């Protein structure tokens, strides 16, 4: 059993939500920590194991038919109540998110606000047309489509957007009449429990939403269950592919949002100051822990020299520290392990010939301006200084996703070469181009292998009513999107009904 860190504030004790009851787990004791103070536990719990998993599956299977029978409008009203409750608890949950995940308080507040909007958006879909009608060759026949829920679905979520990503998945799953078994990431269990409580308090019936706080092995056992008709997953490519291999052969639907290696191309006609502001926001926001984060900046011809001082001054001005403190723009990474991974990726890049062009002062663990960051792996720190590297497309860091505040500036001779470099990874999540040349924008939209392409805006950020999804290794071939109407597509089976008026039996006299 691990030693729970000695914490000034008593850590919250968490339970699992199964069949409408908050119950203790049967597994090992576990805890989440505050990455700004890794010696402090935020929440403690006993992990869920096979017994709770079995109970959750049984409860979901039993509760789903009645939930489906309530109809769209009733289910939409429950989501509306959940939106209002989440708005009431917004500040409390934002504070919890900053303590447990590490992002700054303004970032947490924005995430809670976006999650409230997500619930309202899906609630509003309850009153939209939910099928189509078609003409028939038979004069008395109507052909119409209708949607039926999948049944019981699994939602497996990462820590980097501990509320927003679950809301993107769970709200449409519930709206369309499914029961959900949710396994959130172990780093952000307290935020997950707070969201599950909002949904339960809003009136999601017992068994319709089940929350299991557990390691990845329980996620693997969950997706292997015959009863799970759909899996919605956001996380790493490796885990995503293992879920795909377990669930697809038995006919389960699978929706995946995986990693990215997003490129932003800057053409010489773009204002370097305006572009640099968006590039730094895209690369460093949420401490670089966004799947859509700008991992490569591809500067075409003279754009390179114009960008360097603009990027440098902005990165060096970033204030790194505890996300709860005033004036802090960049919080810690989610864990010391995450920090170690970023540090070794940068060290490898330097050994392969990259150079540090700019580095912020990382406050609690700052390093020398030109070498690897200090605040070594062994001191437990989760801080890493935002870093701009100068490099070339052959570097490992220009192919492998590094989930932290690091981006690499690469030079290209012209737009052709820039597009080739941008497309030169196995990923295809987002991309951006900075230019006033409309033809160049059109080329980028058509030729960049990314599910989302932006002009003159960061690679990060998306609207919840527009589809969002990656190409190549960033997703699963089909269906590959979430948000917008994709929720209805993924969480239901569509049926087509041919309806003729019946002929009544002749009365028997
Ligand atoms: P991860 O894949 O390690 O974990 C994600 C979830 O899967 C966690 O809940 C984890 O416990 C669970 N899990 C682990 N092993 C499992 C298994 N064998 N079977 C089933 N579930 C298992 O990812 P992470 O470190 O939490 O998140 C970071 C990754 O997520 C990055 O690669 C990032 O790019 C990606 N991400 C993608 C998007 C997107 O929309 N494309 C959004 C956010 C994060």
């Amino acid at each position: 059993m691990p030693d729970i860190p000695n914490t000034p504030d008593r850590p919250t004790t968490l339970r699992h939500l199964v069949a409408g009851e908050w119950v203790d787990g049967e597994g090992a004791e576990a805890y989440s920590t505050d990455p700004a103070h890794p010696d402090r536990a935020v929440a403690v719990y006993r992990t869920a194991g096979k017994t709770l998993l079995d109970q959750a599956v049984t409860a979901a299977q039993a509760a789903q038919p009645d939930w489906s029978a309530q109809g769209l409008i009733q289910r939409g009203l429950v989501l509306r109540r959940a939106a209002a409750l989440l708005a009431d608890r917004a500040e409390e949950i934002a504070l919890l998110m900053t303590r447990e995940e590490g992002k700054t308080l303004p970032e947490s507040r924005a995430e809670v606000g976006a999650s409230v909007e997500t619930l309202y958006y899906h609630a509003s879909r309850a009153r939209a047309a939910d099928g189509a009608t078609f003409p028939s060759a038979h004069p008395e026949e109507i052909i119409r489509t209708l949607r039926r829920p999948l049944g019981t679905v699994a939602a497996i979520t990462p820590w980097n957007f501990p509320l927003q990503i679950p809301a993107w998945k769970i709200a449409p799953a519930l709206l369309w009449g499914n029961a959900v078994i949710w396994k959130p990431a172990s780093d952000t269990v307290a935020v997950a429990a707070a969201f599950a409580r909002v949904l339960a308090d809003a009136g999601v019936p017992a068994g319709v939403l089940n929350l299991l706080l557990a390691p990845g092995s329980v996620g693997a056992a969950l997706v292997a269950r015959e009863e799970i008709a759909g899996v919605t997953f956001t996380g790493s490519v490796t885990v995503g592919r293992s879920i795909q291999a377990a669930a697809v052969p038995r006919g389960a639907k699978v929706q995946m949002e995986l990693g990215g290696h997003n490129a932003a191309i800057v053409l010489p006609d773009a204002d370097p100051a305006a572009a640099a502001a968006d590039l730094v926001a895209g690369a460093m926001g949420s401490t670089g822990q966004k799947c859509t984060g700008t991992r490569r900046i591809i500067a075409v011809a003279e754009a390179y020299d114009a960008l360097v001082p603009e990027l440098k001054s902005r990165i060096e001005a970033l204030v790194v520290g505890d996300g709860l403190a005033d004036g802090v723009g960049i919080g810690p990474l989610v864990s010391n392990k995450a920090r170690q991974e970023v540090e070794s990726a940068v060290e490898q890049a330097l050994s392969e010939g990259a150079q540090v062009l700019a580095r912020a002062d990382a406050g609690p663990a700052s390093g020398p301006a030109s070498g690897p960051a200090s605040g070594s792996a062994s001191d437990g720190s989760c801080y890493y200084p935002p870093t701009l590297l100068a490099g070339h497309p052959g570097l490992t860091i220009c192919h492998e996703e590094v989930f932290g505040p690091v981006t690499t500036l690469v030079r290209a001779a012209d737009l052709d070469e820039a597009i080739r470099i941008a497309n030169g990874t196995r990923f295809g999540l987002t991309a951006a181009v900075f230019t006033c040349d409309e033809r160049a924008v059109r080329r980028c939209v058509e030729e960049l292998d990314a599910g989302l392409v932006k002009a003159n805006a960061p690679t990060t950020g998306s609207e919840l009513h527009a589809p969002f999804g990656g190409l190549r290794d960033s997703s699963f071939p089909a269906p590959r999107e979430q948000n917008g109407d994709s929720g209805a597509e993924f969480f239901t089976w569509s049926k087509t009904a041919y309806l003729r008026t019946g002929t009544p039996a002749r009365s028997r006299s």
Side-chain angles (χ1 to χ4, degrees):
M1 203 179 282
D3 287 338
I4 296 169
N6 200 359
T7 308
D9 311 322
R10 266 163 67 94
T12 315
T13 300
L14 301 179
R15 295 194 166 77
H16 312 263
L17 179 61
V18 175
E21 303 288 334
W22 292 93
V23 295
D24 278 324
E26 73 263 43
E29 190 150 47
Y31 56 89
S32 64
T33 53
D34 177 350
H37 306 279
D39 55 340
R40 295 184 191 170
V42 173
V44 295
Y45 61 105
R46 301 191 78 89
T47 56
K50 185 171 182 320
T51 307
L52 277 190
L53 173 58
D54 287 346
Q55 289 171 5
V57 171
T58 304
Q61 295 282 95
Q64 189 271 329
D66 281 354
W67 176 239
S68 171
Q70 285 194 19
L72 265 174
I73 302 280
Q74 281 309 316
R75 294 195 299 266
L77 290 174
V78 172
L79 289 185
R80 270 174 59 118
R81 281 201 297 276
L85 273 180
L86 184 58
D88 286 348
R89 299 176 194 176
E91 191 62 10
E92 173 197 328
I93 293 179
L95 284 163
L96 183 61
M97 190 183 296
T98 292
R99 284 183 58 222
E100 196 176 48
E101 198 273 351
K103 62 181 73 183
T104 65
L105 190 53
E107 287 171 335
S108 294
R109 286 179 177 141
E111 181 171 343
V112 179
S115 306
V116 170
E117 286 304 313
T118 301
L119 291 168
Y120 276 127
Y121 170 75
H122 287 289
S124 77
R125 306 309 289 161
R127 293 180 188 274
D130 71 337
T133 59
F134 298 86
S136 165
H138 191 287
E140 283 177 16
E141 188 172 67
I142 295 173
I143 305 174
R144 64 170 290 232
T145 58
L146 64 156
R147 297 191 175 280
R148 302 298 302 148
L150 301 184
T152 297
V153 300
I156 301 187
T157 54
W159 46 264
N160 64 332
F161 284 92
L163 187 65
Q164 173 74 85
I165 289 175
W168 281 357
K169 296 175 182 304
I170 293 170
L174 293 177
L175 178 73
W176 290 101
N178 298 283
V180 177
I181 301 177
W182 176 23
K183 199 218 80 64
S186 304
D187 287 317
T188 49
V189 279
V191 173
F195 186 42
R197 192 167 286 281
V198 163
L199 291 164
D201 290 352
V204 173
V208 171
L209 174 70
N210 302 275
L211 172 73
L212 298 178
L213 308 175
S217 55
V218 173
L222 172 62
V223 301
R225 295 286 297 238
E226 278 296 320
E227 298 90 334
I228 301 299
V231 182
T232 175
F233 171 79
T234 297
S236 61
V237 177
T238 311
V239 173
R241 293 292 170 245
S242 73
I243 291 174
Q244 182 184 334
V248 173
R250 63 179 170 76
K253 263 188 168 180
V254 169
Q255 177 187 55
M256 306 219 159
E257 295 294 343
L258 308 175
H261 210 300
N262 317 294
I265 295 173
V266 185
L267 293 178
D269 73 318
D271 172 25
D278 282 345
L279 293 166
V280 172
M284 307 303 175
S286 290
T287 320
Q289 298 170 117
K290 290 184 184 178
C291 53
T292 51
T294 310
R295 307 285 174 219
R296 292 166 296 153
I297 301 170
I298 305 169
V300 174
E302 59 273 25
Y304 191 99
D305 290 338
L307 268 180
V308 169
E310 298 291 345
L311 290 169
K312 204 168 148 53
S313 60
R314 281 170 178 77
I315 288 170
E316 287 170 354
L318 292 171
V319 178
V320 179
D322 184 340
L324 289 178
D326 285 342
V328 165
I330 305 288
L333 286 152
V334 69
S335 64
N336 176 252
K337 179 170 167 281
R339 181 202 186 284
Q340 288 179 42
E341 285 169 8
V342 173
E343 184 172 56
S344 52
V346 170
E347 276 168 13
Q348 181 174 357
L350 296 177
S351 75
E352 290 173 1
Q355 290 176 331
V356 175
L357 275 182
R359 179 171 273 169
D361 177 357
S366 61
S370 57
S374 70
S376 74
S378 58
D379 73 1
S381 168
C382 302
Y383 290 106
Y384 192 83
T387 301
L388 172 67
L389 299 175
H392 58 82
L395 298 172
T396 306
I397 205 166
C398 286
H399 292 271
E400 297 301 323
E401 186 185 37
V402 177
F403 219 52
V406 179
T407 191
T408 306
L409 182 62
V410 170
R411 203 187 285 269
D414 52 24
L415 182 56
D416 288 340
E417 188 184 9
I419 291 175
R420 256 198 322 276
I421 294 171
N423 288 342
T425 75
R426 64 192 171 120
F427 298 103
L429 193 55
T430 69
V433 58
F434 290 84
T435 179
C436 300
D437 178 346
E438 285 184 21
R439 277 195 197 167
V441 170
R442 209 173 322 131
R443 271 198 68 191
C444 286
V445 169
E446 286 171 12
E447 295 179 33
L448 286 174
D449 290 332
L452 190 152
V453 180
K454 292 190 175 184
N456 302 303
T459 55
T460 51
S462 62
E463 299 277 357
L464 65 98
H465 50 274
F468 170 78
L471 305 176
R472 300 174 167 184
D473 266 6
S474 294
S475 192
F476 178 67
R480 61 173 190 84
E481 290 163 336
Q482 53 188 7
N483 291 359
D485 288 334
S486 318
E489 291 298 324
F490 181 72
F491 289 109
T492 63
W493 297 115
S494 179
K495 285 184 161 182
T496 307
Y498 286 68
L499 305 170
R500 289 185 198 176
T501 310
T503 309
R506 292 233 173 93
S507 60
R508 293 185 198 113
S509 51

